Amino acid sequence: MRHTGIRLLAMSAFVLGLSPAFADQGGVSLKKLSRSEIPEMQVEDASADSDREGSRELFRTALLRQIPECKRLPSHFVVAGSKIARERWCEGTARWFLKELDAGLGLKEIFAKARLQLDWYRSTGKPDTGEVQFTGYFFPVHRAKETPDAVYRYPVYAAPSDLRKPYFTRAQIEGEGVLRGRGLELGYLDNPVDPFILQVQGSGALLFEDGQGGVTRRIVNYSNENGRPYTSLGRKMREAGIPEEFINLQGIRKYFVELHPEQWTQFAYQNESFVFFKQEDKGPYGSSGAILTPLHSVAVDPRQFPLGMVGLIRTERPDAVEGDQALSWKSFARFVVAQDTGGAILGPGRVDVFWGEGQYAEVAAGRTDRTGELYFMVVPAKKR
């Protein structure tokens, strides 16, 4: 399966050095709600294309991308103590929403109808607080060159033919150049941090000048990894006393590219893990097999919640953004589809939102660390 979901850690989780303390909760990750327990919410329903608000068309896209992949998923899943067939949680629920979208209803109207007609479940969240922690990831885009020069000399690698587990470490690959000269370079970037971030995100795009004033865009998706242990860069930075302002996506790039490039290998090589890529025409792919949809695809722990489930999240997102800073935050509720996983997305108290690409997506991915609520909806079982 092609996927970003095996990416080693979602960006914010990797940056914050989060602990996988909320692993398998033994199947009690969802509580079924009565009609009176389903809260009223103002669901996002952007009237035009937006890089930050959910919309009918983007939600439709996420549903349409998921339906063909439902057959890849387990035939049943235990939800709140009851075995539910894949046809209900995945295809059946997605088609219910598509029918309402095709009828011309807005997302706020669909929410009102869903409250009455669907079975609702709420994540039990973290064991200590009951809250769900939301982080984010994005689709990085970098200028690249096909051949190295004095500036563009940091490669993005395809998987080698002799890959085994465990394989060479990050220090051996990047520092000693053990793969150099084997024709595995998919492109070269102009700093060592961006290839690292690309590996954490699991996919991205490389932009190459075509020699005629234009640019060729090539998508690279996760292919494989070296089987070495992952060490959190954020945790190591914090242990070294680096100011907290630098322990986020934007801060890491500033610290190691602009301020202290001489310290990069000291920290990066402590993480032995390394991800390989392959060039493809489409992507990014989630663990469910579906191409991810900005704003409406989320990563969850598949031991707690079945992939392909339609959900609703309520938390906060950056509102006013300036440069790489989130100046203010706004509460929101949005329909989503569980289509991905991540190494740090463990337990019922963790969700990673896929923000897409662009400046806002990068800021949201790097700055989001908010609590909130996670709900899932399933079409009722047919009465016999």
Side-chain angles (χ1 to χ4, degrees):
M1 182 193 300
R2 296 167 293 183
H3 46 156
T4 61
I6 290 182
R7 68 184 188 282
L8 300 176
L9 284 179
M11 186 67 222
S12 295
F14 133 77
V15 165
L16 296 169
L18 297 174
S19 169
F22 309 107
D24 191 356
Q25 299 295 306
V28 293
S29 55
L30 287 169
K31 174 190 174 184
K32 190 171 184 179
L33 302 180
S34 65
R35 296 281 175 249
S36 62
E37 292 177 306
I38 305 170
E40 287 283 0
M41 300 184 214
Q42 291 297 311
V43 178
E44 284 185 338
D45 194 356
S47 58
D49 289 341
S50 171
D51 61 358
R52 60 192 69 186
E53 291 185 280
S55 68
R56 296 179 74 257
E57 288 312 307
L58 282 177
F59 182 43
R60 176 195 294 274
T61 297
L63 296 169
L64 289 173
R65 287 173 171 174
Q66 185 57 54
I67 288 175
E69 308 302 329
C70 288
K71 61 182 180 295
R72 298 173 178 264
L73 304 174
S75 61
H76 293 82
F77 199 94
V78 176
V79 177
S82 299
K83 184 184 289 187
I84 296 181
R86 177 182 61 207
E87 289 75 14
R88 285 180 59 201
W89 92 65
C90 192
E91 184 174 358
T93 305
R95 292 196 181 281
W96 185 93
F97 279 95
L98 285 173
K99 178 173 66 70
E100 303 305 327
L101 287 167
D102 290 342
L105 296 184
L107 296 182
K108 294 177 182 178
E109 297 171 292
I110 291 175
F111 168 76
K113 199 167 184 179
R115 289 184 78 232
L116 299 176
Q117 296 188 11
L118 302 183
D119 291 341
W120 280 69
Y121 302 85
R122 178 174 176 169
S123 171
T124 55
K126 296 182 179 181
D128 53 344
T129 65
E131 296 178 324
V132 176
Q133 179 187 13
F134 289 85
T135 51
Y137 62 116
F138 77 115
F139 187 75
V141 179
H142 301 295
R143 288 195 170 274
K145 290 191 176 181
E146 294 181 327
T147 56
D149 59 24
V151 176
Y152 287 80
R153 54 192 177 93
Y154 303 97
V156 175
Y157 280 110
S161 59
D162 63 344
L163 180 63
R164 60 191 182 279
K165 307 292 177 67
Y167 198 58
F168 295 117
T169 66
R170 177 177 299 277
Q172 290 173 311
I173 295 171
E174 294 184 343
E176 300 176 20
V178 294
L179 300 182
R180 194 177 300 136
R182 296 179 55 177
L184 299 172
E185 296 85 354
L186 297 174
Y188 295 85
L189 306 188
D190 64 359
N191 70 80
V193 179
D194 285 339
F196 187 97
I197 292 175
L198 184 65
Q199 291 182 39
V200 174
Q201 300 303 314
S203 63
L206 305 181
L207 305 180
F208 298 88
E209 295 181 1
D210 61 11
Q212 300 177 347
V215 173
T216 299
R217 176 183 169 108
R218 299 175 188 169
I219 293 176
V220 291
N221 288 319
Y222 171 99
S223 174
N224 215 318
E225 47 88 19
N226 66 347
R228 296 283 182 172
Y230 185 92
T231 299
S232 166
L233 175 61
R235 185 173 70 248
K236 290 299 181 181
M237 292 173 67
R238 187 175 286 114
E239 291 173 355
I242 293 176
E244 200 71 23
E245 64 184 282
F246 294 111
I247 306 180
N248 56 65
L249 172 61
Q250 292 76 20
I252 283 175
R253 186 181 286 114
K254 182 175 183 179
Y255 187 87
F256 290 113
V257 175
E258 300 177 20
L259 301 179
H260 298 286
E262 76 284 355
Q263 295 183 20
W264 173 247
T265 57
Q266 169 192 342
F267 285 91
Y269 290 176
Q270 294 184 67
N271 175 27
E272 296 185 0
S273 177
F274 195 90
V275 170
F276 300 102
F277 294 88
K278 55 186 172 183
Q279 183 179 317
E280 296 186 292
D281 295 331
K282 298 179 180 179
Y285 289 90
S287 298
S288 70
I291 294 177
L292 300 177
T293 300
L295 309 179
H296 292 276
S297 293
V298 297
V300 298
D301 184 345
R303 296 169 300 179
Q304 307 293 330
F305 316 118
L307 294 178
M309 235 180 171
V310 181
L312 189 146
I313 59 175
R314 182 157 69 169
T315 183
E316 293 181 313
R317 60 169 175 78
D319 188 21
V321 170
E322 183 176 303
D324 62 3
Q325 299 293 319
L327 302 182
S328 62
W329 294 78
K330 181 178 181 179
S331 298
F332 74 95
R334 179 189 302 154
F335 285 119
V336 296
V337 185
Q339 295 178 306
D340 207 0
T341 61
I345 310 306
L346 301 173
R350 289 289 285 112
V351 175
D352 214 26
V353 179
F354 178 63
W355 289 99
E357 68 176 83
Q359 180 196 9
Y360 180 83
E362 183 170 347
V363 173
R367 300 293 179 180
T368 299
D369 181 25
R370 288 303 210 250
T371 58
E373 302 156 14
L374 170 65
Y375 300 87
F376 286 108
M377 295 146 285
V378 180
V379 290
K382 294 181 180 179
K383 296 181 180 180
R384 296 180 179 180

